[in-house]
Amino acid sequence: MPDTPPEQVPFAIRHYDAQTLTRALRQMFLIRKFEEGAEAAYMRGLIHGTMHLSIGQEASAVGACIGLSAADKITSTHRGHGHCIAKGADVARMFAEFFGKETGYCRGRGGSMHIADVDAGNLGANGIVGGGIPIAVGAGLSAKRLGTGAVTVCFFGDGANNEGAFHEGLNIASVWKLPVVFVCENNKYGMSTSTEKSTAVASIADRAAAYGMPGLSVDGNDFSAVAEAVEDAAARGRTGEGPSLIEAMTYRQRGHSRSDRNRYRTKEEIEAWTARDPLPRMAGMLIDHGVLTEAQVAEIEAEVDAEIAAALDFAQTSPDPDPAAVTRDVYTVV
Amino acid sequence: MPDTPPEQVPFAIRHYDAQTLTRALRQMFLIRKFEEGAEAAYMRGLIHGTMHLSIGQEASAVGACIGLSAADKITSTHRGHGHCIAKGADVARMFAEFFGKETGYCRGRGGSMHIADVDAGNLGANGIVGGGIPIAVGAGLSAKRLGTGAVTVCFFGDGANNEGAFHEGLNIASVWKLPVVFVCENNKYGMSTSTEKSTAVASIADRAAAYGMPGLSVDGNDFSAVAEAVEDAAARGRTGEGPSLIEAMTYRQRGHSRSDRNRYRTKEEIEAWTARDPLPRMAGMLIDHGVLTEAQVAEIEAEVDAEIAAALDFAQTSPDPDPAAVTRDVYTVV
Amino acid sequence: MDGAPPTRDLSFAEALREAMDIALAEDDRVVLMGEDIGVYGGAFQVTLDLVHKYGAERVIDTPISELGGAGVAVGAALTGLWPIYEFQFSDFSTLAMEQIVNQAAKLRYMLGGAVSVPLVYRMPTGSGTGAAAQHSQSLEAWFGHVPGLKVVQPSTPADAKGLLLAALDDPDPVLIFEHKLLYKTKGAVPEGRHTVALGTAETRREGRDLTLVASGVMVDRALEAAEALAGEGVSAEVIDLRSIRPIDRDTVLASVRKTGRLMVIYEAVKTLGIGAEISAMVAESDAFDFLDAPIVRLGGAESPIPYNPTLEAAAVPQIADIVRAARDLAGGVV
Amino acid sequence: MDGAPPTRDLSFAEALREAMDIALAEDDRVVLMGEDIGVYGGAFQVTLDLVHKYGAERVIDTPISELGGAGVAVGAALTGLWPIYEFQFSDFSTLAMEQIVNQAAKLRYMLGGAVSVPLVYRMPTGSGTGAAAQHSQSLEAWFGHVPGLKVVQPSTPADAKGLLLAALDDPDPVLIFEHKLLYKTKGAVPEGRHTVALGTAETRREGRDLTLVASGVMVDRALEAAEALAGEGVSAEVIDLRSIRPIDRDTVLASVRKTGRLMVIYEAVKTLGIGAEISAMVAESDAFDFLDAPIVRLGGAESPIPYNPTLEAAAVPQIADIVRAARDLAGGVV
Ligand SMILES: Cc1ncc(C[n+]2csc(CCOP(=O)(O)OP(=O)(O)O)c2C)c(N)n1
Ligand SMILES: Cc1ncc(C[n+]2csc(CCOP(=O)(O)OP(=O)(O)O)c2C)c(N)n1
Ligand SMILES: [Mg+2]
Ligand SMILES: [Mg+2]
């Protein structure tokens, strides 16, 4: 709608060019279809271990990373596929990692829970809830000391906000005024435990006040809202004003992991949130504002399907690690 | 002054009888003189290890404990002599502990940093900053589950408020609505580190909001202010409304421990706070409001001097532990 | 045996659940705490449905706060409750070492015997599930190094029940290491109250030529290896250690005196794992003179646990490794 | 020796400070972090005045947040800094095991070699200061059990400097255990850049009849014992282990092959301490055949460290204990 009054035009439409917005939509499709592909392979027993899917949370991953350069860092979580793709990873090498192949990002040593892409600035997913928070603060310290101008986006979940690492990390980042953006993806549950049962405050963003930093709660399924909040916080960080806390309200449409029987939430709740799926919202926004046509969106989706198929093929045909190499890379220098 | 308008009469005068107020003053003298005695013995090399003196902080220890019964619990800190005396400990057995004697509260195994008096409800000082916080929450859980009606006062310092244990403990206590009163004795420094350098929020009491509990900052050198705040918080706990956080603003007149050269604070600051010494203030309040006469105060002080002298004598003449008993009390059942 | 209680086949997880069910029914002071142990039933479904039988006040879901949770258990145990705290994975005890090691293990000693800390920490442990380096550790040796703690590691459903009930009866803190690969294994379990004395090993198979000492998941592997070795004319005795602290010295030494050859099999990193202690215990004992060959340790690789399934299997002793090493050790014999 | 750099007598603490001074001057990426390491100079004055020379931006006082501080060091090391993090007492590493063991030690491996974690953790360790059970532990064996970490324990000022500089040069995480009783001991220290290769033991005294392996504060005690034993005609070889992970296998085995008798002396709890590993390493090696007597371990008591000075001394090996045990071990010889 060309004649929408400016103040009603979403931030993302005002702020990003068509190419960037198209990349964002493409990444969201890529995350969705990557995880659907991984889930299918996992169900067919082709992938071992466990896996945490972020289907339904694509807008917060892509919205938080869209404004970052490769020099900027992120720390990710056990639910980190989306973060990894949003920061620019190659899904072929991600699949290869899930299949435990030598061509994977971690040469098959890490798997889903440790997926990383250091060259692109992703310091890695983490198997420890809250484990990435102090690490992100350390990356912020490096940026400040070395004057790189980089910011670090630290992803974590609502459950992680009750870990001591959250408290210590946010306090240190604030007293040292480090360029870190703390992004809490609040999907209402830590495994089976609701935020009402786990967290003594209504909005996690309100905890920012305890660390003397701004706190903002946004619709995590709205790409534009997340992007706007993170762009502002990143700018704050880059100009030396210190860290910020952003709470992205979202929902995981899948169970916590394979073993989840969804005993702790209702079908209705899942359906209500599935109706607020971030992907059609993003596509709809781009179409409404004339960035893309329906046909172009369909084209992007088709491209992504092809990329996923090729990536799966790459992964499955890649070589396994040498079984004798169990103790390689324990040390840099032995 | 009999004709002071009621609203100007301090809470303590309105709330406690003369006997209780006299006991409070006596305990404050006892803490002061106990620590002066310990300091002297320590300087003369009669006590080994290290020791953290709370001289100047007597009002918060006594004010927080004055309303508690023996069924109520406290958890204490490395700076815990005052808490221990305020909860009713015998200074003779405390000195005996410092001298490492079998008659000490810990049979000479714990020393100053682990001074405890379990029968009186003191679950112990702690060598780990913040270490007592989760323990206090556990005591609160017992009280709630077993329906004892007891509250637990959890003492800790400003430095401890940046430990993960603080965050996890306060959050759990709040979501479970446990009868715990968190008393942060803010003496402006954690060892050499000022709260400005360590803590990202101006008032530690403000952190209570992050845990959905009331937070109140009071003059920690004013016995009445501390007593009033803790009585209110304890009542809240006993009626099932959950925990509270009280910040008692105070100051340690001595160094952090023996090794402290006071490089991080000025002589002027120390003098200014010494001028606000809680002991004369307490005595003055009791005299002003006709609870005690100057003469009676002097009498109490003399009694305390005698008690300290006798206690020191008891400690020094007590037997040492059997050197062969190193591994006793490691287990209850071997 | 006559008079032995009737048994049924239960899985390892069911046996643990039955033990907790009995304890919860017997004594109101018993409470379970942990992450997602309620409606979710725990990550490994060990506490499944107990919340429906005993309520959320006794089967308590905690926030994701391991230091806090482990410490709340300490405080609760000090004040009248008998908590069983489940670490969702034993790896997460790395966040709670302070409360386990400085508080739970030492409080009784530091306070001169004035208190006991009757609690149990449940530790799902080990590799083989594809969960990678942060969810697959075997850390029992750390706790075996800590006076004040008791550490057990059952290998059968019957022992899982018996050791958990014995741990709960014990007035001191006990850690029970439950290997994740065992949860689904079935075995005969005595009905009703059944305890296995802490600190006692069990000879699972009699043999003449060499002694295989193992615990947890390694016991079955050792037994299968012994069967294969029998086919080659090598008679291996298999001892199930069951207790890591204290170690059943007599049972191990008696077997070594008989066979003259010792191999210790364990999944943990070889260096400084339990095999080191058992080897040293024998090497400093009079059984040393009965040794006909060096003491062999078959432990885990000197690396974190890798994700790739082939590498993961290669990182810990498998049946074939045991057979090969035992054959070499028995060398002289046949 | 010719060409050897000139030396001066420095205390152990001064030698460590000189190493940090050199590192800070050489490379801008080096930063020190820890509690009260700035104006206070650290609890043991090891970093005294470095803040005045290099500023608070490089000699950084942290809040009392060990998990956060240790983790910030990991993140900083991942992103271009070379941090040295001081634990005020190594006991407090119990709060940071997660970051040390799950992150610092494993990141390189989990990421398939994509990163290194070049940091140093300084660990003031041991008993003898009357600081009781929570400030006197010897925990080096825990870290020796963790692949990905390197662990050293100097016994002289020269090695303190040389090992700390070598640790900083090393691209992997290194823990340096500094015994508190050694800080004031003096010795000749080479000027300028001086490094001691990680993983190398040093023979401090040649001997024929038995081998004494010790590290840290136990080395001097072993040397004094060896002197006394010489007077009795017993010739003891004394090996200073210096490195806990990796252990210098060759040096230890060569000595045992020569003397046929081995005693390992360590302050940590005997069970599962480093003596267990060294004994097992010898018992599984070809040196086993050279053993003329059982391997003796002289370790700490199976108890926490008590406060009472007599009990405290009785809890760890003293010179007289070493002489007595060595005399018995040498038994046959003279
Ligand atoms: C320290 C730690 N505790 C517990 C776990 C087990 N665990 C893995 S994910 C998870 C829930 C995390 O919840 P949240 O932070 O909200 O992230 P989400 O899974 O919802 O994305 C738990 C309990 C863990 N991996 N690490
Ligand atoms: C976990 C831990 N970290 C560090 C220390 C060393 N230490 C002992 S007291 C202290 C300062 C504590 O400050 P605060 O909590 O304000 O108490 P205060 O000493 O001022 O009474 C420090 C750093 C410790 N004992 N435990
Ligand atoms: Mg969540
Ligand atoms: Mg303070």
Side-chain angles (χ1 to χ4, degrees):
Chain A
M1 316 152 192
D3 47 35
T4 318
E7 68 279 9
Q8 286 178 32
V9 177
F11 166 85
I13 302 295
R14 285 181 275 124
H15 191 78
Y16 301 112
D17 61 23
Q19 193 188 346
T20 307
L21 291 167
T22 304
R23 190 178 91 236
L25 177 67
R26 194 175 191 294
Q27 283 185 330
M28 287 174 68
F29 273 123
L30 202 54
I31 294 169
R32 176 68 54 94
K33 290 168 184 290
F34 173 83
E35 289 200 322
E36 286 169 349
E39 184 177 32
Y42 187 80
M43 290 310 174
R44 284 168 50 215
L46 301 175
I47 297 177
H48 88 142
T50 188
M51 170 174 309
H52 306 92
L53 301 173
S54 64
I55 288 173
Q57 305 185 184
E58 294 87 350
S60 79
V62 176
C65 294
I66 195 69
L68 303 181
S69 78
D72 296 318
K73 311 288 185 208
I74 68 167
T75 60
S76 177
T77 72
H78 59 283
R79 202 173 302 287
H81 310 154
H83 310 143
C84 197
I85 292 170
K87 197 69 173 66
D90 170 0
V91 290
R93 291 193 61 195
M94 288 177 69
F95 272 131
E97 186 56 34
F98 291 16
F99 283 90
K101 300 303 182 75
E102 188 69 25
T103 53
Y105 273 110
C106 308
R107 316 180 80 124
R109 271 59 170 188
S112 163
M113 230 175 333
H114 301 293
I115 196 74
D117 180 6
V118 178
D119 296 338
N122 177 1
L123 298 178
N126 211 302
I128 302 298
V129 168
I133 296 176
I135 293 173
V137 177
L141 178 65
S142 290
K144 184 172 184 177
R145 280 277 322 128
L146 303 172
T148 64
V151 300
T152 300
V153 170
C154 174
F155 289 102
F156 57 96
D158 50 284
N161 102 100
N162 296 313
E163 285 281 7
F166 165 87
H167 180 66
E168 298 186 9
L170 270 70
N171 182 65
I172 292 172
S174 182
V175 288
W176 296 351
K177 292 216 168 305
L178 301 180
V180 182
V181 181
F182 296 98
V183 176
C184 178
E185 295 180 300
N186 183 346
N187 57 12
K188 296 173 57 81
Y189 298 93
M191 207 155 155
S192 70
T193 308
S194 67
T195 51
E196 292 70 26
K197 282 179 62 181
S198 70
T199 306
V201 65
S203 166
I204 291 167
D206 291 346
R207 285 191 163 167
Y211 308 108
M213 66 175 79
L216 186 64
S217 190
V218 301
D219 179 348
N221 286 10
D222 176 349
F223 166 82
S224 183
V226 175
E228 182 169 16
V230 174
E231 291 273 11
D232 293 351
R236 229 184 137 257
R238 291 189 210 276
T239 53
E241 290 164 86
S244 307
L245 172 60
I246 292 161
E247 177 183 24
M249 303 304 298
T250 182
Y251 198 78
R252 62 167 156 75
Q253 295 176 13
R254 296 292 195 274
H256 167 71
S257 67
R258 178 176 55 177
S259 62
D260 189 345
R261 302 178 197 179
N262 284 311
R263 288 204 197 79
Y264 53 89
R265 55 182 192 174
T266 63
K267 224 168 134 295
E268 294 63 33
E269 181 181 280
I270 299 173
E271 283 161 1
W273 274 92
T274 307
R276 303 178 45 196
D277 191 311
L279 250 170
R281 277 174 75 177
M282 175 69 167
M285 177 181 76
L286 298 191
I287 291 165
D288 291 349
H289 293 280
V291 178
L292 293 171
T293 64
E294 300 259 7
Q296 287 170 312
V297 169
E299 208 173 286
I300 291 167
E301 195 169 351
E303 276 167 34
V304 167
D305 286 326
E307 181 173 350
I308 294 293
L312 268 165
D313 185 60
F314 169 84
Q316 283 172 289
T317 56
S318 284
D320 276 311
D322 169 5
V326 171
T327 57
R328 95 166 252 180
D329 289 328
V330 176
Y331 295 100
T332 313
V333 170
V334 182
Chain B
M1 316 154 193
D3 47 34
T4 319
E7 68 278 8
Q8 287 178 31
V9 177
F11 165 85
I13 302 297
R14 285 182 273 123
H15 191 78
Y16 301 112
D17 60 24
Q19 193 187 346
T20 307
L21 291 167
T22 305
R23 191 178 89 235
L25 177 67
R26 194 175 190 294
Q27 283 186 332
M28 287 173 67
F29 274 123
L30 202 55
I31 294 169
R32 175 68 54 95
K33 291 169 183 291
F34 173 83
E35 289 201 322
E36 287 169 348
E39 185 177 34
Y42 187 79
M43 291 310 173
R44 283 168 49 215
L46 301 175
I47 298 177
H48 88 142
T50 188
M51 168 173 311
H52 306 91
L53 301 173
S54 64
I55 289 173
Q57 305 185 184
E58 295 86 353
S60 79
V62 176
C65 294
I66 195 70
L68 303 181
S69 78
D72 296 318
K73 312 287 185 207
I74 68 167
T75 60
S76 176
T77 72
H78 59 283
R79 202 174 302 286
H81 310 154
H83 310 142
C84 196
I85 292 170
K87 198 66 173 65
D90 171 0
V91 290
R93 293 193 59 196
M94 288 177 69
F95 272 132
E97 186 57 33
F98 291 15
F99 283 89
K101 299 303 181 77
E102 189 70 26
T103 54
Y105 273 110
C106 307
R107 316 180 79 126
R109 272 59 170 187
S112 162
M113 230 175 335
H114 301 293
I115 196 74
D117 180 7
V118 178
D119 296 339
N122 178 1
L123 298 178
N126 211 303
I128 302 299
V129 167
I133 296 175
I135 293 173
V137 177
L141 179 65
S142 290
K144 183 171 185 178
R145 281 278 323 128
L146 303 172
T148 64
V151 299
T152 300
V153 169
C154 174
F155 289 102
F156 57 95
D158 50 283
N161 103 100
N162 296 314
E163 284 282 6
F166 166 88
H167 180 67
E168 298 186 8
L170 270 70
N171 182 64
I172 292 172
S174 182
V175 288
W176 296 352
K177 291 213 168 307
L178 301 180
V180 182
V181 181
F182 296 98
V183 176
C184 179
E185 295 181 301
N186 183 345
N187 58 11
K188 297 173 59 76
Y189 299 92
M191 207 153 155
S192 70
T193 309
S194 67
T195 51
E196 291 69 26
K197 282 179 61 180
S198 71
T199 305
V201 65
S203 166
I204 291 167
D206 292 346
R207 285 190 163 167
Y211 308 108
M213 67 175 78
L216 186 65
S217 190
V218 300
D219 180 347
N221 285 11
D222 176 350
F223 166 82
S224 182
V226 174
E228 182 169 18
V230 175
E231 290 273 12
D232 292 351
R236 233 184 135 254
R238 291 189 211 275
T239 53
E241 291 163 84
S244 308
L245 173 60
I246 293 161
E247 177 184 25
M249 304 303 299
T250 183
Y251 197 79
R252 61 168 158 74
Q253 295 177 12
R254 295 294 194 274
H256 167 71
S257 67
R258 178 177 53 176
S259 61
D260 189 344
R261 301 180 198 176
N262 284 312
R263 287 203 199 79
Y264 52 89
R265 55 182 191 174
T266 63
K267 220 166 138 298
E268 294 64 33
E269 181 181 279
I270 299 173
E271 282 162 2
W273 275 92
T274 308
R276 303 179 46 196
D277 191 312
L279 250 171
R281 278 174 74 177
M282 175 68 167
M285 177 180 75
L286 298 191
I287 292 164
D288 290 349
H289 293 280
V291 178
L292 294 171
T293 63
E294 300 260 9
Q296 287 171 310
V297 169
E299 208 172 287
I300 291 168
E301 195 170 349
E303 276 168 35
V304 168
D305 287 326
E307 182 173 350
I308 293 294
L312 269 166
D313 185 60
F314 168 84
Q316 283 172 288
T317 56
S318 285
D320 277 310
D322 168 5
V326 171
T327 58
R328 99 165 250 179
D329 290 327
V330 177
Y331 295 101
T332 312
V333 170
V334 181
Chain C
M1 319 170 272
D2 292 291
T7 67
R8 319 108 308 155
D9 272 15
L10 294 180
S11 75
F12 195 90
E14 289 164 343
L16 289 165
R17 189 182 314 139
E18 184 168 270
M20 289 186 272
D21 195 347
I22 289 171
L24 284 159
E26 272 181 358
D27 199 304
D28 206 46
R29 288 169 293 187
V30 175
V31 295
L32 313 188
M33 296 194 287
E35 293 157 12
D36 309 289
I37 66 169
V39 290
Y40 198 95
F44 301 100
Q45 304 291 290
V46 176
T47 56
L48 193 64
D49 293 332
L50 290 175
V51 69
H52 301 122
K53 195 164 171 188
Y54 298 99
E57 295 278 296
R58 294 187 66 200
V59 179
I60 309 171
D61 278 332
T62 64
I64 308 174
S65 307
E66 288 76 13
L67 177 63
V72 168
V74 173
L78 279 174
T79 51
L81 294 179
W82 296 350
I84 302 178
Y85 179 82
E86 173 183 302
F87 283 97
Q88 199 165 80
F89 285 72
S90 61
D91 307 71
F92 311 149
S93 66
T94 49
L95 284 159
M97 297 302 283
E98 194 289 293
Q99 286 290 329
I100 301 170
V101 173
N102 297 336
Q103 312 294 343
K106 295 179 172 57
L107 269 164
R108 177 176 177 76
Y109 189 83
M110 293 187 300
L111 270 54
V115 296
S116 292
V117 186
L119 60 77
V120 177
Y121 291 119
R122 292 189 39 242
M123 313 287 277
T125 191
S127 67
T129 67
Q134 293 176 333
H135 285 69
S136 304
Q137 294 171 84
S138 298
L139 299 174
E140 65 280 354
W142 281 359
F143 301 97
H145 188 47
V146 179
L149 300 180
K150 295 170 183 174
V151 182
V152 296
Q153 190 163 35
S155 72
T156 68
D159 282 356
K161 177 179 179 178
L163 287 170
L164 181 50
L165 278 171
L168 206 51
D169 289 345
D170 193 275
D172 296 314
V174 182
L175 287 80
I176 179 166
F177 282 80
E178 308 164 359
H179 202 290
K180 286 163 260 167
L181 294 180
L182 292 177
Y183 280 129
K184 294 197 163 75
T185 61
K186 295 207 162 251
V189 177
E191 287 175 2
R193 223 183 193 294
H194 161 68
T195 61
V196 172
L198 304 179
T200 60
E202 174 85 353
T203 303
R204 298 275 176 212
R205 178 186 177 115
E206 303 269 346
R208 287 182 323 278
D209 303 332
L210 76 168
T211 300
L212 306 181
V213 173
S215 71
V217 74
M218 289 296 155
V219 173
D220 286 343
R221 294 184 194 170
L223 287 168
E224 289 198 45
E227 195 55 40
L229 289 161
E232 305 178 10
V234 176
S235 165
E237 180 147 302
V238 178
I239 294 176
D240 180 352
L241 205 54
R242 294 203 299 201
S243 176
I244 304 299
R245 183 175 185 94
I247 290 170
D248 184 347
R249 199 166 176 277
D250 298 348
T251 301
V252 174
L253 295 189
S255 179
V256 172
R257 283 194 209 92
K258 181 172 75 173
T259 65
R261 285 179 163 72
L262 171 63
M263 177 158 91
V264 192
I265 305 153
Y266 52 112
E267 174 171 341
V269 170
K270 180 182 176 182
T271 299
L272 279 160
I274 56 168
E277 180 58 32
I278 290 163
S279 174
M281 178 184 83
V282 171
E284 73 189 343
S285 75
D286 58 16
F288 173 83
D289 300 325
F290 293 77
L291 286 171
D292 302 321
I295 300 169
V296 175
R297 290 182 294 165
L298 198 61
E302 299 294 321
S303 78
I305 298 294
Y307 164 71
N308 172 287
T310 311
L311 292 181
E312 184 182 21
V316 304
Q318 304 296 338
I319 295 167
D321 306 314
I322 301 171
V323 172
R324 200 175 314 111
R327 196 184 287 132
D328 295 350
L329 176 56
V333 183
V334 285
Chain D
M1 313 172 277
D2 292 290
T7 67
R8 317 111 307 156
D9 272 14
L10 294 180
S11 75
F12 195 90
E14 289 163 344
L16 290 165
R17 188 182 313 138
E18 183 168 272
M20 289 185 272
D21 195 347
I22 289 170
L24 284 159
E26 272 181 357
D27 197 305
D28 207 45
R29 290 168 292 186
V30 175
V31 295
L32 313 188
M33 295 194 286
E35 292 157 12
D36 309 289
I37 65 169
V39 288
Y40 198 95
F44 301 99
Q45 304 293 286
V46 176
T47 57
L48 193 64
D49 292 331
L50 289 175
V51 68
H52 302 122
K53 194 162 170 188
Y54 298 99
E57 296 278 296
R58 295 187 66 199
V59 180
I60 309 170
D61 277 332
T62 65
I64 307 174
S65 308
E66 288 76 10
L67 177 62
V72 168
V74 173
L78 280 173
T79 51
L81 294 179
W82 295 351
I84 302 178
Y85 178 82
E86 173 183 301
F87 283 98
Q88 201 164 78
F89 286 72
S90 62
D91 307 73
F92 310 150
S93 66
T94 50
L95 284 160
M97 296 302 282
E98 194 290 293
Q99 286 290 329
I100 301 170
V101 173
N102 297 334
Q103 313 294 344
K106 295 179 173 57
L107 268 163
R108 176 175 177 78
Y109 189 84
M110 293 188 299
L111 271 53
V115 296
S116 293
V117 187
L119 60 77
V120 176
Y121 291 119
R122 292 189 39 242
M123 314 286 278
T125 191
S127 68
T129 66
Q134 294 176 333
H135 286 69
S136 303
Q137 295 172 84
S138 298
L139 299 173
E140 65 281 353
W142 282 359
F143 301 96
H145 188 48
V146 179
L149 300 179
K150 295 170 182 174
V151 182
V152 296
Q153 190 162 36
S155 71
T156 68
D159 283 356
K161 177 179 179 178
L163 287 169
L164 181 50
L165 279 170
L168 206 53
D169 289 345
D170 193 276
D172 296 315
V174 182
L175 288 79
I176 178 166
F177 282 79
E178 307 164 357
H179 201 290
K180 286 163 259 166
L181 294 182
L182 292 177
Y183 281 128
K184 293 196 165 73
T185 61
K186 296 206 162 253
V189 177
E191 287 175 2
R193 225 183 191 291
H194 161 69
T195 61
V196 171
L198 305 178
T200 60
E202 173 86 354
T203 302
R204 297 278 178 210
R205 179 186 177 115
E206 304 269 346
R208 286 180 326 277
D209 302 333
L210 77 169
T211 300
L212 305 181
V213 173
S215 71
V217 75
M218 290 295 156
V219 173
D220 285 343
R221 294 184 194 171
L223 286 168
E224 290 198 45
E227 194 56 39
L229 289 161
E232 304 177 13
V234 176
S235 165
E237 180 148 302
V238 177
I239 294 176
D240 179 351
L241 205 54
R242 293 203 300 201
S243 177
I244 304 299
R245 183 174 185 93
I247 290 171
D248 184 346
R249 199 167 177 276
D250 298 348
T251 300
V252 173
L253 295 188
S255 178
V256 172
R257 283 195 208 91
K258 181 173 76 174
T259 66
R261 285 178 162 74
L262 171 63
M263 177 158 93
V264 193
I265 305 153
Y266 52 112
E267 174 171 338
V269 170
K270 180 181 176 182
T271 299
L272 278 161
I274 57 168
E277 180 57 32
I278 290 162
S279 173
M281 179 184 83
V282 170
E284 74 189 343
S285 74
D286 58 16
F288 173 82
D289 299 324
F290 294 77
L291 285 171
D292 301 321
I295 300 168
V296 175
R297 291 182 294 166
L298 197 62
E302 299 295 321
S303 77
I305 298 294
Y307 165 70
N308 172 285
T310 312
L311 292 181
E312 184 182 22
V316 304
Q318 304 295 339
I319 295 166
D321 305 316
I322 300 171
V323 171
R324 200 176 312 110
R327 196 185 287 132
D328 295 349
L329 176 56
V333 184
V334 287

